[in-house]
Coordinates of all heavy atoms in Angstrom, one line a residue:
Q133 N -13.7 -7.5 15.7 CA -13.0 -8.3 16.7 C -11.6 -7.7 16.9 O -10.9 -7.4 15.9 CB -12.9 -9.7 16.3 CG -14.1 -10.5 16.4 CD -13.9 -11.9 16.0 OE1 -13.1 -12.2 15.1 NE2 -14.7 -12.8 16.6
K134 N -11.2 -7.6 18.1 CA -9.9 -7.1 18.4 C -8.8 -8.1 17.9 O -8.9 -9.3 18.1 CB -9.7 -6.9 19.9 CG -8.7 -5.9 20.2 CD -8.8 -5.5 21.7 CE -8.1 -4.1 21.8 NZ -8.6 -3.4 22.8
G135 N -7.8 -7.6 17.2 CA -6.7 -8.4 16.8 C -6.9 -9.1 15.4 O -6.0 -9.7 14.9
V136 N -8.0 -8.9 14.8 CA -8.3 -9.5 13.5 C -8.1 -8.5 12.4 O -8.7 -7.4 12.5 CB -9.7 -10.1 13.5 CG1 -10.0 -10.7 12.1 CG2 -9.9 -11.2 14.5
A137 N -7.4 -8.8 11.4 CA -7.2 -7.9 10.2 C -8.5 -7.7 9.5 O -9.3 -8.6 9.3 CB -6.1 -8.5 9.3
L138 N -8.8 -6.4 9.2 CA -10.0 -6.1 8.5 C -10.0 -6.4 7.0 O -11.0 -6.8 6.4 CB -10.3 -4.6 8.7 CG -10.6 -4.1 10.1 CD1 -10.7 -2.6 10.1 CD2 -11.9 -4.8 10.5
C139 N -8.8 -6.3 6.4 CA -8.7 -6.6 5.0 C -7.2 -6.8 4.7 O -6.3 -6.4 5.5 CB -9.3 -5.5 4.1 SG -8.5 -3.9 4.3
D140 N -6.9 -7.4 3.5 CA -5.5 -7.7 3.2 C -5.1 -7.0 1.9 O -4.0 -7.1 1.5 CB -5.3 -9.2 3.1 CG -6.1 -9.9 2.0 OD1 -6.9 -9.2 1.4 OD2 -5.9 -11.1 1.8
K141 N -6.0 -6.3 1.3 CA -5.7 -5.6 0.0 C -6.3 -4.2 0.0 O -7.5 -4.0 0.5 CB -6.3 -6.4 -1.2 CG -6.0 -5.8 -2.5 CD -6.5 -6.7 -3.7 CE -6.1 -6.1 -5.0 NZ -6.6 -7.0 -6.1
I142 N -5.6 -3.3 -0.5 CA -6.1 -1.9 -0.6 C -5.8 -1.4 -2.1 O -4.7 -1.7 -2.6 CB -5.5 -0.9 0.4 CG1 -6.2 0.4 0.4 CG2 -4.0 -0.7 0.2 CD1 -5.9 1.2 1.6
I143 N -6.8 -0.8 -2.7 CA -6.6 -0.3 -4.0 C -6.9 1.2 -4.0 O -8.0 1.7 -3.7 CB -7.7 -0.9 -5.0 CG1 -7.4 -2.4 -5.0 CG2 -7.5 -0.3 -6.4 CD1 -8.5 -3.2 -5.8
L144 N -5.8 2.0 -4.2 CA -5.9 3.5 -4.3 C -5.6 4.0 -5.7 O -5.4 5.2 -5.9 CB -4.9 4.1 -3.2 CG -5.2 3.7 -1.8 CD1 -4.1 4.3 -0.9 CD2 -6.5 4.3 -1.3
S145 N -5.4 3.1 -6.6 CA -4.9 3.4 -7.9 C -5.9 4.3 -8.8 O -7.1 4.3 -8.5 CB -4.6 2.1 -8.7 OG -5.8 1.4 -8.9
D146 N -5.2 4.9 -9.8 CA -6.0 5.6 -10.8 C -6.7 6.8 -10.3 O -7.8 7.2 -10.8 CB -6.9 4.7 -11.6 CG -6.1 3.6 -12.3 OD1 -4.9 3.9 -12.8 OD2 -6.5 2.5 -12.3
K147 N -6.3 7.4 -9.2 CA -6.9 8.6 -8.6 C -5.7 9.5 -8.2 O -4.8 9.0 -7.4 CB -7.8 8.3 -7.4 CG -8.3 9.4 -6.6 CD -9.4 10.2 -7.4 CE -9.9 11.3 -6.5 NZ -9.8 12.6 -7.1
S148 N -5.6 10.7 -8.6 CA -4.5 11.6 -8.2 C -4.9 12.2 -6.8 O -5.9 12.9 -6.7 CB -4.4 12.7 -9.3 OG -3.2 13.4 -9.0
Y149 N -4.0 12.0 -5.9 CA -4.2 12.5 -4.5 C -3.3 13.7 -4.2 O -2.2 13.8 -4.6 CB -3.9 11.4 -3.5 CG -4.8 10.2 -3.6 CD1 -4.3 9.1 -4.2 CD2 -6.1 10.3 -3.2 CE1 -5.1 8.0 -4.4 CE2 -6.9 9.1 -3.3 CZ -6.4 8.0 -3.9 OH -7.2 6.9 -4.1
T150 N -3.9 14.7 -3.5 CA -3.1 15.8 -3.0 C -2.4 15.4 -1.8 O -2.7 14.3 -1.2 CB -4.0 17.0 -2.7 OG1 -4.9 16.6 -1.6 CG2 -4.9 17.5 -3.9
S151 N -1.5 16.2 -1.3 CA -0.7 15.9 -0.1 C -1.7 15.8 1.1 O -1.6 15.0 2.0 CB 0.3 17.0 0.2 OG 1.3 16.9 -0.7
A152 N -2.7 16.7 1.1 CA -3.7 16.7 2.2 C -4.5 15.4 2.2 O -4.8 14.8 3.2 CB -4.6 17.9 2.1
A153 N -4.9 15.0 1.0 CA -5.7 13.8 0.9 C -4.9 12.6 1.3 O -5.3 11.7 2.0 CB -6.2 13.6 -0.6
A154 N -3.6 12.5 0.9 CA -2.7 11.5 1.3 C -2.6 11.4 2.8 O -2.5 10.3 3.3 CB -1.3 11.6 0.6
S155 N -2.5 12.5 3.4 CA -2.4 12.5 4.9 C -3.6 12.0 5.6 O -3.5 11.2 6.5 CB -2.1 14.0 5.4 OG -0.8 14.4 5.1
L156 N -4.8 12.4 5.0 CA -6.0 11.8 5.6 C -6.1 10.3 5.4 O -6.5 9.6 6.4 CB -7.2 12.5 4.9 CG -7.5 13.9 5.3 CD1 -8.6 14.5 4.4 CD2 -8.0 14.0 6.7
I157 N -5.8 9.8 4.2 CA -5.8 8.4 4.0 C -4.8 7.7 4.9 O -5.1 6.7 5.5 CB -5.5 8.1 2.5 CG1 -6.6 8.6 1.6 CG2 -5.2 6.6 2.3 CD1 -6.2 8.7 0.1
A158 N -3.6 8.2 4.9 CA -2.5 7.5 5.8 C -2.9 7.5 7.2 O -2.8 6.5 7.9 CB -1.2 8.3 5.6
N159 N -3.5 8.6 7.7 CA -3.9 8.6 9.1 C -5.0 7.7 9.4 O -5.0 7.0 10.4 CB -4.3 10.1 9.5 CG -3.1 11.0 9.6 OD1 -2.0 10.6 9.8 ND2 -3.4 12.3 9.5
F160 N -6.0 7.6 8.5 CA -7.1 6.7 8.7 C -6.7 5.2 8.7 O -7.1 4.4 9.6 CB -8.2 6.9 7.6 CG -9.3 6.0 7.7 CD1 -10.3 6.1 8.7 CD2 -9.4 4.9 6.8 CE1 -11.3 5.2 8.8 CE2 -10.5 4.0 6.9 CZ -11.5 4.2 7.9
I161 N -5.9 4.8 7.7 CA -5.5 3.4 7.6 C -4.5 2.9 8.6 O -4.4 1.8 8.9 CB -5.1 3.0 6.2 CG1 -3.8 3.6 5.8 CG2 -6.2 3.2 5.2 CD1 -3.2 3.2 4.4
S162 N -3.7 3.9 9.2 CA -2.7 3.5 10.2 C -3.1 3.8 11.6 O -2.5 3.3 12.6 CB -1.4 4.3 9.9 OG -1.6 5.6 10.0
S163 N -4.3 4.4 11.8 CA -4.8 4.7 13.2 C -5.3 3.5 13.9 O -5.9 2.6 13.2 CB -5.9 5.7 13.1 OG -6.5 5.9 14.3
T164 N -5.1 3.4 15.2 CA -5.7 2.4 16.0 C -6.8 2.9 16.8 O -7.3 2.2 17.7 CB -4.7 1.7 16.8 OG1 -4.0 2.7 17.6 CG2 -3.7 0.9 16.0
D165 N -7.3 4.2 16.6 CA -8.4 4.8 17.3 C -9.7 4.0 17.1 O -10.4 3.8 18.1 CB -8.5 6.2 17.0 CG -7.4 7.1 17.4 OD1 -6.6 6.6 18.3 OD2 -7.2 8.2 16.9
E166 N -10.0 3.7 15.9 CA -11.2 3.0 15.5 C -11.1 1.5 15.4 O -12.0 0.8 15.7 CB -11.8 3.6 14.2 CG -12.2 5.1 14.3 CD -13.4 5.3 15.2 OE1 -14.3 4.4 15.3 OE2 -13.4 6.3 15.9
F167 N -9.9 1.1 14.8 CA -9.7 -0.3 14.5 C -8.4 -0.7 15.2 O -7.4 0.0 15.0 CB -9.6 -0.6 13.0 CG -10.8 -0.1 12.3 CD1 -10.7 1.1 11.5 CD2 -12.0 -0.7 12.3 CE1 -11.8 1.6 10.8 CE2 -13.1 -0.3 11.6 CZ -13.0 0.9 10.9
N168 N -8.4 -1.8 15.9 CA -7.2 -2.3 16.5 C -7.1 -3.8 16.2 O -7.9 -4.6 16.8 CB -7.2 -2.0 18.0 CG -5.8 -2.2 18.6 OD1 -4.9 -2.5 17.9 ND2 -5.7 -2.0 19.9
P169 N -6.2 -4.3 15.4 CA -5.1 -3.5 14.8 C -5.5 -2.6 13.7 O -6.7 -2.7 13.3 CB -4.1 -4.6 14.3 CG -5.0 -5.7 13.9 CD -6.1 -5.7 15.0
S170 N -4.6 -1.7 13.3 CA -5.0 -0.7 12.2 C -5.3 -1.5 10.9 O -4.9 -2.6 10.7 CB -3.8 0.2 12.0 OG -2.7 -0.5 11.4
I171 N -6.0 -0.8 10.1 CA -6.3 -1.3 8.8 C -5.0 -1.7 8.0 O -4.9 -2.8 7.5 CB -7.2 -0.3 7.9 CG1 -8.5 -0.2 8.6 CG2 -7.3 -0.8 6.5 CD1 -9.3 1.0 8.0
A172 N -4.0 -0.8 8.1 CA -2.8 -1.0 7.3 C -2.0 -2.2 7.8 O -1.4 -2.9 7.0 CB -1.9 0.3 7.5
S173 N -2.1 -2.5 9.1 CA -1.3 -3.7 9.6 C -1.7 -5.0 9.0 O -0.9 -5.9 8.9 CB -1.5 -3.8 11.1 OG -2.8 -4.1 11.4
G174 N -2.9 -5.1 8.4 CA -3.3 -6.4 7.8 C -3.1 -6.4 6.3 O -3.3 -7.4 5.6
I175 N -2.7 -5.3 5.7 CA -2.6 -5.2 4.3 C -1.3 -5.9 3.8 O -0.2 -5.7 4.3 CB -2.5 -3.7 3.8 CG1 -3.7 -2.9 4.2 CG2 -2.2 -3.6 2.3 CD1 -5.0 -3.4 3.5
T176 N -1.5 -6.8 2.8 CA -0.4 -7.5 2.2 C -0.3 -7.1 0.7 O 0.8 -7.3 0.1 CB -0.5 -9.1 2.3 OG1 -1.8 -9.4 1.7 CG2 -0.5 -9.5 3.7
I177 N -1.3 -6.6 0.1 CA -1.3 -6.2 -1.3 C -1.7 -4.7 -1.3 O -2.8 -4.4 -0.9 CB -2.2 -7.0 -2.1 CG1 -1.8 -8.5 -2.0 CG2 -2.3 -6.5 -3.6 CD1 -2.8 -9.5 -2.6
A178 N -0.9 -3.9 -1.9 CA -1.2 -2.4 -2.1 C -1.1 -2.0 -3.5 O 0.0 -2.1 -4.1 CB -0.3 -1.6 -1.2
D179 N -2.2 -1.6 -4.1 CA -2.3 -1.1 -5.5 C -2.2 0.4 -5.4 O -3.2 1.0 -5.1 CB -3.5 -1.6 -6.2 CG -3.6 -1.3 -7.6 OD1 -2.8 -0.4 -8.1 OD2 -4.4 -1.8 -8.4
L180 N -1.1 0.9 -5.7 CA -0.8 2.4 -5.6 C -0.4 3.0 -6.9 O 0.2 4.0 -7.0 CB 0.3 2.7 -4.6 CG 0.1 2.0 -3.2 CD1 1.3 2.3 -2.3 CD2 -1.2 2.5 -2.5
K181 N -0.8 2.3 -8.0 CA -0.4 2.8 -9.3 C -1.1 4.1 -9.7 O -2.3 4.2 -9.4 CB -0.5 1.7 -10.4 CG -1.9 1.3 -10.8 CD -1.9 0.3 -11.9 CE -3.2 -0.3 -12.2 NZ -3.7 -1.3 -11.2
D182 N -0.4 5.0 -10.4 CA -1.0 6.2 -10.9 C -1.7 7.0 -9.9 O -2.9 7.4 -10.1 CB -1.9 5.8 -12.1 CG -2.1 7.0 -13.1 OD1 -1.3 8.0 -13.0 OD2 -3.1 7.0 -13.8
I183 N -1.1 7.3 -8.7 CA -1.8 8.0 -7.7 C -1.3 9.5 -7.6 O -1.8 10.2 -6.7 CB -1.7 7.4 -6.3 CG1 -0.2 7.3 -5.8 CG2 -2.3 6.0 -6.3 CD1 0.0 6.9 -4.4
I184 N -0.4 9.9 -8.5 CA 0.1 11.3 -8.5 C 0.0 12.0 -9.8 O 0.7 12.9 -10.1 CB 1.5 11.3 -7.9 CG1 2.5 10.5 -8.7 CG2 1.5 11.0 -6.4 CD1 3.9 10.7 -8.3
A185 N -0.9 11.5 -10.7 CA -1.0 12.1 -12.0 C -1.3 13.6 -11.9 O -2.1 14.1 -11.2 CB -2.1 11.4 -12.8
G186 N -0.5 14.4 -12.7 CA -0.7 15.8 -12.8 C -0.1 16.6 -11.6 O -0.2 17.8 -11.6
R187 N 0.4 15.9 -10.7 CA 1.0 16.7 -9.5 C 2.4 17.1 -9.8 O 3.2 16.5 -10.5 CB 1.1 15.8 -8.3 CG -0.3 15.2 -7.9 CD -1.1 16.2 -7.1 NE -2.5 15.8 -7.1 CZ -3.5 16.6 -7.1 NH1 -3.3 17.9 -7.2 NH2 -4.7 16.2 -7.1
M188 N 2.8 18.3 -9.3 CA 4.1 18.8 -9.4 C 5.0 17.8 -8.7 O 4.6 17.1 -7.8 CB 4.3 20.2 -8.8 CG 3.4 21.2 -9.5 SD 3.8 21.4 -11.2 CE 5.4 22.3 -11.1
E189 N 6.3 17.8 -9.0 CA 7.2 16.8 -8.5 C 7.3 16.8 -6.9 O 7.2 15.7 -6.3 CB 8.7 17.0 -9.0 CG 9.7 16.0 -8.5 CD 11.0 16.2 -9.1 OE1 11.2 16.7 -10.2 OE2 12.0 15.7 -8.4
E190 N 7.4 17.9 -6.3 CA 7.5 18.0 -4.9 C 6.3 17.4 -4.2 O 6.4 16.6 -3.3 CB 7.7 19.4 -4.4 CG 7.9 19.5 -2.9 CD 8.2 21.0 -2.5 OE1 8.5 21.8 -3.3 OE2 8.0 21.2 -1.3
E191 N 5.1 17.8 -4.7 CA 3.9 17.2 -4.1 C 3.7 15.7 -4.4 O 3.3 15.0 -3.5 CB 2.6 18.0 -4.6 CG 1.4 17.4 -3.9 CD 0.1 18.2 -4.2 OE1 0.0 18.8 -5.3 OE2 -0.7 18.3 -3.3
G192 N 4.1 15.3 -5.6 CA 4.0 13.9 -6.0 C 4.9 13.0 -5.1 O 4.4 12.0 -4.6
L193 N 6.1 13.5 -4.8 CA 7.0 12.8 -4.0 C 6.5 12.7 -2.5 O 6.6 11.7 -1.8 CB 8.4 13.4 -4.0 CG 9.1 13.2 -5.4 CD1 10.4 14.0 -5.3 CD2 9.3 11.8 -5.7
N194 N 5.9 13.8 -2.1 CA 5.3 13.9 -0.7 C 4.1 12.9 -0.6 O 4.0 12.2 0.4 CB 4.8 15.3 -0.4 CG 4.3 15.4 1.0 OD1 3.1 15.3 1.1 ND2 5.1 15.7 1.9
V195 N 3.3 12.8 -1.6 CA 2.2 11.9 -1.6 C 2.7 10.5 -1.5 O 2.2 9.7 -0.7 CB 1.3 12.1 -2.8 CG1 0.3 10.9 -3.0 CG2 0.5 13.4 -2.8
L196 N 3.7 10.1 -2.3 CA 4.2 8.8 -2.3 C 4.8 8.4 -0.9 O 4.6 7.3 -0.4 CB 5.3 8.6 -3.4 CG 4.8 8.5 -4.8 CD1 6.0 8.5 -5.8 CD2 3.9 7.4 -5.1
N197 N 5.5 9.4 -0.4 CA 6.1 9.2 0.9 C 5.1 9.0 2.0 O 5.2 8.1 2.9 CB 7.1 10.3 1.3 CG 7.8 10.1 2.6 OD1 7.4 10.6 3.6 ND2 8.9 9.4 2.5
T198 N 4.1 9.8 2.0 CA 3.0 9.8 3.0 C 2.3 8.5 3.0 O 2.1 7.8 4.0 CB 2.1 11.0 2.9 OG1 2.8 12.2 3.0 CG2 1.0 11.0 3.9
I199 N 1.8 8.1 1.8 CA 1.1 6.9 1.6 C 2.0 5.7 2.0 O 1.5 4.8 2.7 CB 0.5 6.7 0.2 CG1 -0.5 7.8 -0.1 CG2 0.0 5.3 0.0 CD1 -1.8 7.7 0.6
S200 N 3.2 5.7 1.5 CA 4.1 4.5 1.8 C 4.3 4.4 3.3 O 4.4 3.3 3.8 CB 5.4 4.7 1.1 OG 5.2 4.7 -0.3
N201 N 4.5 5.5 4.0 CA 4.8 5.4 5.5 C 3.6 4.8 6.2 O 3.8 4.3 7.3 CB 5.2 6.8 6.0 CG 6.6 7.2 5.6 OD1 7.4 6.4 5.3 ND2 6.8 8.5 5.7
A202 N 2.4 4.9 5.7 CA 1.3 4.4 6.4 C 1.4 2.8 6.5 O 0.7 2.2 7.3 CB 0.0 4.8 5.7
F203 N 2.2 2.2 5.6 CA 2.3 0.8 5.6 C 3.5 0.3 6.3 O 3.9 -0.9 6.1 CB 2.3 0.3 4.1 CG 1.0 0.6 3.4 CD1 0.9 1.6 2.5 CD2 -0.1 -0.1 3.7 CE1 -0.2 1.9 1.8 CE2 -1.3 0.2 3.0 CZ -1.4 1.2 2.1
Q204 N 4.1 1.1 7.1 CA 5.4 0.7 7.8 C 5.2 -0.5 8.7 O 6.2 -1.3 8.9 CB 6.0 1.8 8.5 CG 5.2 2.4 9.7 CD 5.8 3.6 10.3 OE1 6.9 4.0 9.9 NE2 5.2 4.2 11.2
D205 N 4.0 -0.8 9.2 CA 3.8 -1.9 10.1 C 3.1 -3.1 9.3 O 2.8 -4.1 9.9 CB 3.0 -1.6 11.3 CG 3.7 -0.6 12.2 OD1 4.9 -0.7 12.3 OD2 3.0 0.2 12.8
S206 N 3.0 -2.9 8.0 CA 2.3 -4.0 7.2 C 3.3 -5.0 6.8 O 4.5 -4.8 6.8 CB 1.7 -3.3 5.9 OG 0.8 -2.3 6.2
K207 N 2.8 -6.1 6.4 CA 3.6 -7.2 5.8 C 3.3 -7.3 4.3 O 2.8 -8.3 3.9 CB 3.4 -8.5 6.6 CG 3.8 -8.4 8.0 CD 3.4 -9.7 8.8 CE 3.9 -9.7 10.2 NZ 3.6 -8.5 11.0
L208 N 3.7 -6.3 3.6 CA 3.4 -6.2 2.2 C 4.2 -7.3 1.4 O 5.4 -7.5 1.6 CB 3.8 -4.8 1.6 CG 3.0 -3.7 2.2 CD1 3.6 -2.3 1.7 CD2 1.5 -3.8 1.7
V209 N 3.5 -8.0 0.5 CA 4.1 -8.9 -0.4 C 4.0 -8.5 -1.8 O 4.7 -9.0 -2.7 CB 3.6 -10.4 -0.2 CG1 3.9 -10.9 1.2 CG2 2.1 -10.4 -0.4
D210 N 3.1 -7.6 -2.1 CA 2.8 -7.2 -3.5 C 2.4 -5.7 -3.5 O 1.4 -5.3 -2.9 CB 1.7 -8.0 -4.1 CG 1.5 -7.7 -5.6 OD1 2.2 -6.9 -6.2 OD2 0.5 -8.3 -6.2
V211 N 3.3 -4.9 -4.1 CA 3.0 -3.4 -4.1 C 3.2 -3.0 -5.6 O 4.2 -3.2 -6.2 CB 4.0 -2.6 -3.3 CG1 3.8 -1.1 -3.3 CG2 4.0 -3.1 -1.8
D212 N 2.2 -2.3 -6.1 CA 2.2 -1.8 -7.5 C 2.3 -0.3 -7.4 O 1.3 0.4 -7.0 CB 1.0 -2.2 -8.3 CG 1.0 -1.8 -9.7 OD1 1.9 -1.0 -10.1 OD2 0.2 -2.3 -10.5
I213 N 3.4 0.3 -7.7 CA 3.6 1.8 -7.8 C 3.9 2.2 -9.2 O 4.4 3.3 -9.4 CB 4.7 2.2 -6.8 CG1 6.0 1.6 -7.1 CG2 4.3 2.1 -5.4 CD1 7.2 2.2 -6.4
S214 N 3.5 1.4 -10.2 CA 3.7 1.8 -11.6 C 2.9 3.0 -12.0 O 2.0 3.4 -11.3 CB 3.4 0.6 -12.5 OG 2.0 0.3 -12.4
D215 N 3.3 3.6 -13.1 CA 2.6 4.7 -13.7 C 2.6 6.0 -12.8 O 1.7 6.8 -12.9 CB 1.2 4.4 -14.1 CG 1.1 3.3 -15.2 OD1 2.1 3.3 -16.0 OD2 0.2 2.5 -15.2
N216 N 3.6 6.1 -11.9 CA 3.6 7.3 -11.1 C 4.7 8.3 -11.6 O 4.8 9.4 -11.1 CB 3.9 6.9 -9.6 CG 2.7 6.5 -8.9 OD1 1.7 7.2 -8.9 ND2 2.7 5.3 -8.4
A217 N 5.4 7.9 -12.7 CA 6.3 8.8 -13.4 C 7.2 9.6 -12.6 O 7.5 10.8 -12.8 CB 5.4 9.8 -14.3
M218 N 7.8 9.0 -11.6 CA 8.8 9.7 -10.7 C 10.2 9.1 -10.8 O 11.1 9.6 -10.2 CB 8.3 9.8 -9.3 CG 7.2 10.8 -9.1 SD 7.8 12.5 -9.2 CE 6.2 13.3 -9.5
G219 N 10.3 8.0 -11.5 CA 11.6 7.3 -11.6 C 12.2 6.9 -10.3 O 11.5 6.6 -9.3
S220 N 13.5 7.0 -10.2 CA 14.2 6.6 -9.0 C 13.9 7.5 -7.8 O 13.9 7.0 -6.6 CB 15.7 6.6 -9.2 OG 16.2 7.9 -9.5
K221 N 13.5 8.8 -8.0 CA 13.1 9.6 -6.9 C 11.9 9.1 -6.2 O 11.7 9.1 -5.0 CB 12.9 11.1 -7.4 CG 14.1 11.8 -7.7 CD 13.7 13.2 -8.2 CE 14.9 14.0 -8.7 NZ 14.6 15.3 -9.2
G222 N 10.9 8.6 -7.0 CA 9.7 8.1 -6.5 C 9.9 6.8 -5.8 O 9.3 6.6 -4.7
I223 N 10.8 5.9 -6.3 CA 11.1 4.7 -5.6 C 11.7 5.0 -4.2 O 11.4 4.3 -3.2 CB 12.1 3.8 -6.4 CG1 11.5 3.5 -7.8 CG2 12.6 2.6 -5.7 CD1 10.4 2.5 -7.8
T224 N 12.6 6.0 -4.2 CA 13.3 6.3 -2.9 C 12.2 6.8 -1.9 O 12.4 6.5 -0.7 CB 14.3 7.5 -3.2 OG1 15.3 7.0 -4.1 CG2 15.0 7.9 -1.9
Q225 N 11.2 7.5 -2.3 CA 10.2 7.9 -1.4 C 9.3 6.8 -0.8 O 8.8 6.9 0.2 CB 9.3 9.0 -2.1 CG 9.9 10.3 -2.4 CD 10.6 10.9 -1.2 OE1 9.9 11.1 -0.2 NE2 11.8 11.2 -1.3
C226 N 9.3 5.7 -1.6 CA 8.5 4.6 -1.1 C 9.3 3.7 -0.2 O 8.8 3.0 0.5 CB 7.9 3.8 -2.3 SG 6.8 4.8 -3.3

């Protein structure tokens, strides 16, 4: 149905994403081509813990930034970005 949120929670945790994968995910959940409103617009809970394990700093920060930007139109009330091991740099990207 048009205008109805598809889901309110997304779990991407415990999987290490490359920059390319993060872009695909971000584009899919923020796109209105298939779903209107976008999937991301209905999300209020985002579980993003431990999504950059083993990534070099530059790529890890890029992944956090890309995924976070996908939720810019969301009304997030609960976001878990723990275990991403980027400290204040990671927080800034989100």
Side-chain angles (χ1 to χ4, degrees):
Q133 286 180 328
K134 201 169 205 155
V136 176
L138 293 175
C139 61
D140 63 354
K141 180 177 183 178
I142 191 164
I143 300 171
L144 299 174
S145 63
D146 301 320
K147 170 76 175 122
S148 184
Y149 298 102
T150 63
S151 292
S155 290
L156 285 171
I157 293 166
N159 288 337
F160 177 74
I161 65 175
S162 62
S163 173
T164 55
D165 292 343
E166 296 292 325
F167 306 106
N168 195 1
S170 70
I171 294 169
S173 67
I175 301 294
T176 58
I177 301 169
D179 185 347
L180 309 174
K181 69 178 172 281
D182 200 20
I183 62 170
I184 56 170
R187 301 282 163 215
M188 298 299 289
E189 182 176 335
E190 183 177 342
E191 183 173 32
L193 293 173
N194 181 270
V195 168
L196 288 175
N197 183 263
T198 300
I199 295 289
S200 296
N201 284 341
F203 297 105
Q204 64 187 355
D205 294 328
S206 302
K207 293 175 177 54
L208 295 172
V209 295
D210 187 3
V211 180
D212 186 350
I213 57 168
S214 64
D215 297 328
N216 282 305
M218 287 288 162
S220 62
K221 289 181 184 178
I223 299 291
T224 301
Q225 293 304 307
C226 295

